[in-house]
Amino acid sequence: MLPIRTTADLGLAVRSARQDAGLKATRVAAQAGRSRDLLHRLEGGGDVTTSALLDVLHSMGYTLRLEKLALPTLEEMRQRFADDDDE
């Protein structure tokens, strides 16, 4: 998994983790005590509160870990700009 550097990266990571675990969005939202709209916003890369993010992650069995920021790898750059090559 690539490092999370943007809210869009975070949203994709949350959605991927939820889908890989076979969890339905409505169930995750309910277990987190949050609305389905909030989960949709989070997975779409939108702004949510830190407490909402942590509630969603906890309901899915995940947590956060901070890492020292480093320059993106060549592979990360390729993946990040892959969509631009298609245009």
Side-chain angles (χ1 to χ4, degrees), residues 51-75:
S51 61
L53 170 62
L54 293 173
D55 288 345
V56 168
L57 292 177
H58 184 263
S59 75
M60 294 174 24
Y62 285 88
T63 189
L64 291 177
R65 181 180 63 197
L66 298 179
E67 295 181 3
K68 185 78 174 156
L69 182 63
L71 292 175
T73 65
L74 180 58
E75 183 57 30

PDB file of all heavy atoms in Angstrom, residues 51-75:
ATOM      1  N   SER A  51     -12.009  12.878  14.942  1.00  0.00           N
ATOM      2  CA  SER A  51     -12.749  11.907  15.749  1.00  0.00           C
ATOM      3  C   SER A  51     -13.615  11.005  14.871  1.00  0.00           C
ATOM      4  O   SER A  51     -13.737   9.805  15.130  1.00  0.00           O
ATOM      5  CB  SER A  51     -13.588  12.598  16.819  1.00  0.00           C
ATOM      6  OG  SER A  51     -14.535  13.465  16.246  1.00  0.00           O
ATOM      7  N   ALA A  52     -14.205  11.569  13.806  1.00  0.00           N
ATOM      8  CA  ALA A  52     -15.004  10.757  12.890  1.00  0.00           C
ATOM      9  C   ALA A  52     -14.119   9.740  12.176  1.00  0.00           C
ATOM     10  O   ALA A  52     -14.484   8.560  12.045  1.00  0.00           O
ATOM     11  CB  ALA A  52     -15.722  11.641  11.877  1.00  0.00           C
ATOM     12  N   LEU A  53     -12.956  10.175  11.714  1.00  0.00           N
ATOM     13  CA  LEU A  53     -12.016   9.262  11.063  1.00  0.00           C
ATOM     14  C   LEU A  53     -11.637   8.125  12.001  1.00  0.00           C
ATOM     15  O   LEU A  53     -11.677   6.952  11.621  1.00  0.00           O
ATOM     16  CB  LEU A  53     -10.756  10.014  10.622  1.00  0.00           C
ATOM     17  CG  LEU A  53      -9.584   9.155  10.150  1.00  0.00           C
ATOM     18  CD1 LEU A  53      -9.956   8.350   8.920  1.00  0.00           C
ATOM     19  CD2 LEU A  53      -8.368  10.030   9.906  1.00  0.00           C
ATOM     20  N   LEU A  54     -11.284   8.464  13.227  1.00  0.00           N
ATOM     21  CA  LEU A  54     -10.883   7.429  14.180  1.00  0.00           C
ATOM     22  C   LEU A  54     -12.039   6.486  14.507  1.00  0.00           C
ATOM     23  O   LEU A  54     -11.827   5.274  14.659  1.00  0.00           O
ATOM     24  CB  LEU A  54     -10.324   8.072  15.452  1.00  0.00           C
ATOM     25  CG  LEU A  54      -9.000   8.809  15.264  1.00  0.00           C
ATOM     26  CD1 LEU A  54      -8.620   9.551  16.540  1.00  0.00           C
ATOM     27  CD2 LEU A  54      -7.902   7.868  14.821  1.00  0.00           C
ATOM     28  N   ASP A  55     -13.269   7.006  14.610  1.00  0.00           N
ATOM     29  CA  ASP A  55     -14.433   6.143  14.848  1.00  0.00           C
ATOM     30  C   ASP A  55     -14.618   5.146  13.714  1.00  0.00           C
ATOM     31  O   ASP A  55     -14.870   3.958  13.940  1.00  0.00           O
ATOM     32  CB  ASP A  55     -15.707   6.983  15.007  1.00  0.00           C
ATOM     33  CG  ASP A  55     -15.765   7.746  16.310  1.00  0.00           C
ATOM     34  OD1 ASP A  55     -14.985   7.441  17.245  1.00  0.00           O
ATOM     35  OD2 ASP A  55     -16.596   8.685  16.390  1.00  0.00           O
ATOM     36  N   VAL A  56     -14.503   5.620  12.469  1.00  0.00           N
ATOM     37  CA  VAL A  56     -14.662   4.741  11.310  1.00  0.00           C
ATOM     38  C   VAL A  56     -13.563   3.680  11.292  1.00  0.00           C
ATOM     39  O   VAL A  56     -13.831   2.492  11.122  1.00  0.00           O
ATOM     40  CB  VAL A  56     -14.685   5.552   9.994  1.00  0.00           C
ATOM     41  CG1 VAL A  56     -14.558   4.640   8.781  1.00  0.00           C
ATOM     42  CG2 VAL A  56     -15.951   6.398   9.908  1.00  0.00           C
ATOM     43  N   LEU A  57     -12.324   4.108  11.480  1.00  0.00           N
ATOM     44  CA  LEU A  57     -11.218   3.154  11.476  1.00  0.00           C
ATOM     45  C   LEU A  57     -11.381   2.122  12.580  1.00  0.00           C
ATOM     46  O   LEU A  57     -11.170   0.920  12.361  1.00  0.00           O
ATOM     47  CB  LEU A  57      -9.877   3.888  11.621  1.00  0.00           C
ATOM     48  CG  LEU A  57      -9.469   4.760  10.440  1.00  0.00           C
ATOM     49  CD1 LEU A  57      -8.157   5.478  10.753  1.00  0.00           C
ATOM     50  CD2 LEU A  57      -9.351   3.956   9.156  1.00  0.00           C
ATOM     51  N   HIS A  58     -11.755   2.569  13.770  1.00  0.00           N
ATOM     52  CA  HIS A  58     -11.944   1.647  14.902  1.00  0.00           C
ATOM     53  C   HIS A  58     -13.032   0.623  14.586  1.00  0.00           C
ATOM     54  O   HIS A  58     -12.876  -0.564  14.875  1.00  0.00           O
ATOM     55  CB  HIS A  58     -12.285   2.431  16.170  1.00  0.00           C
ATOM     56  CG  HIS A  58     -12.405   1.572  17.371  1.00  0.00           C
ATOM     57  ND1 HIS A  58     -13.612   1.111  17.831  1.00  0.00           N
ATOM     58  CD2 HIS A  58     -11.465   1.066  18.202  1.00  0.00           C
ATOM     59  CE1 HIS A  58     -13.414   0.353  18.889  1.00  0.00           C
ATOM     60  NE2 HIS A  58     -12.118   0.313  19.136  1.00  0.00           N
ATOM     61  N   SER A  59     -14.119   1.069  13.977  1.00  0.00           N
ATOM     62  CA  SER A  59     -15.217   0.154  13.659  1.00  0.00           C
ATOM     63  C   SER A  59     -14.798  -0.914  12.650  1.00  0.00           C
ATOM     64  O   SER A  59     -15.387  -1.987  12.596  1.00  0.00           O
ATOM     65  CB  SER A  59     -16.435   0.923  13.141  1.00  0.00           C
ATOM     66  OG  SER A  59     -16.227   1.370  11.819  1.00  0.00           O
ATOM     67  N   MET A  60     -13.749  -0.603  11.863  1.00  0.00           N
ATOM     68  CA  MET A  60     -13.245  -1.559  10.870  1.00  0.00           C
ATOM     69  C   MET A  60     -12.065  -2.370  11.400  1.00  0.00           C
ATOM     70  O   MET A  60     -11.540  -3.235  10.710  1.00  0.00           O
ATOM     71  CB  MET A  60     -12.819  -0.806   9.603  1.00  0.00           C
ATOM     72  CG  MET A  60     -13.974  -0.160   8.876  1.00  0.00           C
ATOM     73  SD  MET A  60     -13.543   0.907   7.461  1.00  0.00           S
ATOM     74  CE  MET A  60     -11.981   0.359   6.899  1.00  0.00           C
ATOM     75  N   GLY A  61     -11.610  -2.046  12.620  1.00  0.00           N
ATOM     76  CA  GLY A  61     -10.481  -2.773  13.196  1.00  0.00           C
ATOM     77  C   GLY A  61      -9.129  -2.216  12.786  1.00  0.00           C
ATOM     78  O   GLY A  61      -8.137  -2.944  12.767  1.00  0.00           O
ATOM     79  N   TYR A  62      -9.083  -0.914  12.447  1.00  0.00           N
ATOM     80  CA  TYR A  62      -7.839  -0.277  12.029  1.00  0.00           C
ATOM     81  C   TYR A  62      -7.466   0.858  12.970  1.00  0.00           C
ATOM     82  O   TYR A  62      -8.293   1.343  13.730  1.00  0.00           O
ATOM     83  CB  TYR A  62      -7.964   0.291  10.604  1.00  0.00           C
ATOM     84  CG  TYR A  62      -7.919  -0.767   9.539  1.00  0.00           C
ATOM     85  CD1 TYR A  62      -9.079  -1.403   9.123  1.00  0.00           C
ATOM     86  CD2 TYR A  62      -6.725  -1.140   8.955  1.00  0.00           C
ATOM     87  CE1 TYR A  62      -9.053  -2.392   8.147  1.00  0.00           C
ATOM     88  CE2 TYR A  62      -6.683  -2.119   7.980  1.00  0.00           C
ATOM     89  CZ  TYR A  62      -7.854  -2.736   7.584  1.00  0.00           C
ATOM     90  OH  TYR A  62      -7.823  -3.714   6.627  1.00  0.00           O
ATOM     91  N   THR A  63      -6.225   1.305  12.862  1.00  0.00           N
ATOM     92  CA  THR A  63      -5.732   2.444  13.606  1.00  0.00           C
ATOM     93  C   THR A  63      -4.781   3.227  12.708  1.00  0.00           C
ATOM     94  O   THR A  63      -4.475   2.796  11.603  1.00  0.00           O
ATOM     95  CB  THR A  63      -5.024   1.997  14.900  1.00  0.00           C
ATOM     96  OG1 THR A  63      -4.748   3.140  15.696  1.00  0.00           O
ATOM     97  CG2 THR A  63      -3.743   1.243  14.620  1.00  0.00           C
ATOM     98  N   LEU A  64      -4.317   4.351  13.199  1.00  0.00           N
ATOM     99  CA  LEU A  64      -3.349   5.158  12.452  1.00  0.00           C
ATOM    100  C   LEU A  64      -1.952   4.966  13.018  1.00  0.00           C
ATOM    101  O   LEU A  64      -1.787   4.696  14.198  1.00  0.00           O
ATOM    102  CB  LEU A  64      -3.690   6.651  12.557  1.00  0.00           C
ATOM    103  CG  LEU A  64      -4.941   7.124  11.861  1.00  0.00           C
ATOM    104  CD1 LEU A  64      -5.140   8.616  12.135  1.00  0.00           C
ATOM    105  CD2 LEU A  64      -4.862   6.888  10.374  1.00  0.00           C
ATOM    106  N   ARG A  65      -0.963   5.153  12.159  1.00  0.00           N
ATOM    107  CA  ARG A  65       0.426   5.158  12.586  1.00  0.00           C
ATOM    108  C   ARG A  65       1.116   6.289  11.833  1.00  0.00           C
ATOM    109  O   ARG A  65       0.981   6.407  10.622  1.00  0.00           O
ATOM    110  CB  ARG A  65       1.102   3.830  12.249  1.00  0.00           C
ATOM    111  CG  ARG A  65       2.552   3.795  12.695  1.00  0.00           C
ATOM    112  CD  ARG A  65       3.217   2.490  12.370  1.00  0.00           C
ATOM    113  NE  ARG A  65       3.250   2.320  10.914  1.00  0.00           N
ATOM    114  CZ  ARG A  65       3.463   1.174  10.323  1.00  0.00           C
ATOM    115  NH1 ARG A  65       3.635   0.084  11.020  1.00  0.00           N
ATOM    116  NH2 ARG A  65       3.504   1.082   9.009  1.00  0.00           N
ATOM    117  N   LEU A  66       1.838   7.115  12.553  1.00  0.00           N
ATOM    118  CA  LEU A  66       2.555   8.217  11.929  1.00  0.00           C
ATOM    119  C   LEU A  66       3.938   7.760  11.506  1.00  0.00           C
ATOM    120  O   LEU A  66       4.601   7.027  12.227  1.00  0.00           O
ATOM    121  CB  LEU A  66       2.683   9.389  12.898  1.00  0.00           C
ATOM    122  CG  LEU A  66       1.374  10.011  13.366  1.00  0.00           C
ATOM    123  CD1 LEU A  66       1.660  11.140  14.334  1.00  0.00           C
ATOM    124  CD2 LEU A  66       0.548  10.501  12.191  1.00  0.00           C
ATOM    125  N   GLU A  67       4.352   8.208  10.332  1.00  0.00           N
ATOM    126  CA  GLU A  67       5.680   7.903   9.814  1.00  0.00           C
ATOM    127  C   GLU A  67       6.334   9.199   9.385  1.00  0.00           C
ATOM    128  O   GLU A  67       5.670  10.135   8.945  1.00  0.00           O
ATOM    129  CB  GLU A  67       5.597   6.956   8.615  1.00  0.00           C
ATOM    130  CG  GLU A  67       5.064   5.588   8.959  1.00  0.00           C
ATOM    131  CD  GLU A  67       5.014   4.671   7.750  1.00  0.00           C
ATOM    132  OE1 GLU A  67       5.453   5.074   6.644  1.00  0.00           O
ATOM    133  OE2 GLU A  67       4.532   3.553   7.901  1.00  0.00           O
ATOM    134  N   LYS A  68       7.626   9.252   9.457  1.00  0.00           N
ATOM    135  CA  LYS A  68       8.386  10.400   9.006  1.00  0.00           C
ATOM    136  C   LYS A  68       8.162  10.578   7.509  1.00  0.00           C
ATOM    137  O   LYS A  68       8.227   9.628   6.735  1.00  0.00           O
ATOM    138  CB  LYS A  68       9.876  10.182   9.302  1.00  0.00           C
ATOM    139  CG  LYS A  68      10.751  11.352   8.993  1.00  0.00           C
ATOM    140  CD  LYS A  68      10.636  12.400  10.072  1.00  0.00           C
ATOM    141  CE  LYS A  68      11.660  13.498   9.795  1.00  0.00           C
ATOM    142  NZ  LYS A  68      11.297  14.738  10.394  1.00  0.00           N
ATOM    143  N   LEU A  69       7.897  11.812   7.101  1.00  0.00           N
ATOM    144  CA  LEU A  69       7.659  12.119   5.701  1.00  0.00           C
ATOM    145  C   LEU A  69       8.937  11.926   4.894  1.00  0.00           C
ATOM    146  O   LEU A  69      10.012  12.345   5.308  1.00  0.00           O
ATOM    147  CB  LEU A  69       7.181  13.571   5.557  1.00  0.00           C
ATOM    148  CG  LEU A  69       6.848  14.044   4.156  1.00  0.00           C
ATOM    149  CD1 LEU A  69       5.672  13.248   3.585  1.00  0.00           C
ATOM    150  CD2 LEU A  69       6.514  15.522   4.181  1.00  0.00           C
ATOM    151  N   ALA A  70       8.800  11.285   3.769  1.00  0.00           N
ATOM    152  CA  ALA A  70       9.932  11.068   2.862  1.00  0.00           C
ATOM    153  C   ALA A  70       9.489  11.457   1.453  1.00  0.00           C
ATOM    154  O   ALA A  70       8.305  11.590   1.172  1.00  0.00           O
ATOM    155  CB  ALA A  70      10.364   9.612   2.892  1.00  0.00           C
ATOM    156  N   LEU A  71      10.443  11.639   0.595  1.00  0.00           N
ATOM    157  CA  LEU A  71      10.116  11.924  -0.802  1.00  0.00           C
ATOM    158  C   LEU A  71       9.407  10.725  -1.417  1.00  0.00           C
ATOM    159  O   LEU A  71       9.711   9.582  -1.075  1.00  0.00           O
ATOM    160  CB  LEU A  71      11.386  12.229  -1.586  1.00  0.00           C
ATOM    161  CG  LEU A  71      12.101  13.525  -1.222  1.00  0.00           C
ATOM    162  CD1 LEU A  71      13.409  13.630  -1.997  1.00  0.00           C
ATOM    163  CD2 LEU A  71      11.220  14.724  -1.512  1.00  0.00           C
ATOM    164  N   PRO A  72       8.479  10.970  -2.327  1.00  0.00           N
ATOM    165  CA  PRO A  72       7.802   9.857  -2.992  1.00  0.00           C
ATOM    166  C   PRO A  72       8.801   9.008  -3.779  1.00  0.00           C
ATOM    167  O   PRO A  72       9.759   9.526  -4.342  1.00  0.00           O
ATOM    168  CB  PRO A  72       6.825  10.541  -3.944  1.00  0.00           C
ATOM    169  CG  PRO A  72       6.744  11.955  -3.518  1.00  0.00           C
ATOM    170  CD  PRO A  72       8.003  12.262  -2.792  1.00  0.00           C
ATOM    171  N   THR A  73       8.545   7.723  -3.820  1.00  0.00           N
ATOM    172  CA  THR A  73       9.364   6.828  -4.624  1.00  0.00           C
ATOM    173  C   THR A  73       8.983   6.983  -6.092  1.00  0.00           C
ATOM    174  O   THR A  73       7.929   7.547  -6.421  1.00  0.00           O
ATOM    175  CB  THR A  73       9.163   5.362  -4.206  1.00  0.00           C
ATOM    176  OG1 THR A  73       7.802   4.993  -4.508  1.00  0.00           O
ATOM    177  CG2 THR A  73       9.447   5.152  -2.729  1.00  0.00           C
ATOM    178  N   LEU A  74       9.810   6.467  -6.961  1.00  0.00           N
ATOM    179  CA  LEU A  74       9.515   6.506  -8.388  1.00  0.00           C
ATOM    180  C   LEU A  74       8.202   5.788  -8.676  1.00  0.00           C
ATOM    181  O   LEU A  74       7.377   6.266  -9.465  1.00  0.00           O
ATOM    182  CB  LEU A  74      10.668   5.878  -9.182  1.00  0.00           C
ATOM    183  CG  LEU A  74      10.512   5.852 -10.693  1.00  0.00           C
ATOM    184  CD1 LEU A  74      10.311   7.266 -11.250  1.00  0.00           C
ATOM    185  CD2 LEU A  74      11.718   5.203 -11.338  1.00  0.00           C
ATOM    186  N   GLU A  75       7.981   4.661  -8.028  1.00  0.00           N
ATOM    187  CA  GLU A  75       6.742   3.911  -8.241  1.00  0.00           C
ATOM    188  C   GLU A  75       5.526   4.713  -7.784  1.00  0.00           C
ATOM    189  O   GLU A  75       4.488   4.717  -8.448  1.00  0.00           O
ATOM    190  CB  GLU A  75       6.788   2.563  -7.526  1.00  0.00           C
ATOM    191  CG  GLU A  75       5.562   1.699  -7.761  1.00  0.00           C
ATOM    192  CD  GLU A  75       5.275   1.412  -9.238  1.00  0.00           C
ATOM    193  OE1 GLU A  75       6.214   1.360 -10.049  1.00  0.00           O
ATOM    194  OE2 GLU A  75       4.091   1.228  -9.571  1.00  0.00           O
TER     195      GLU A  75
END
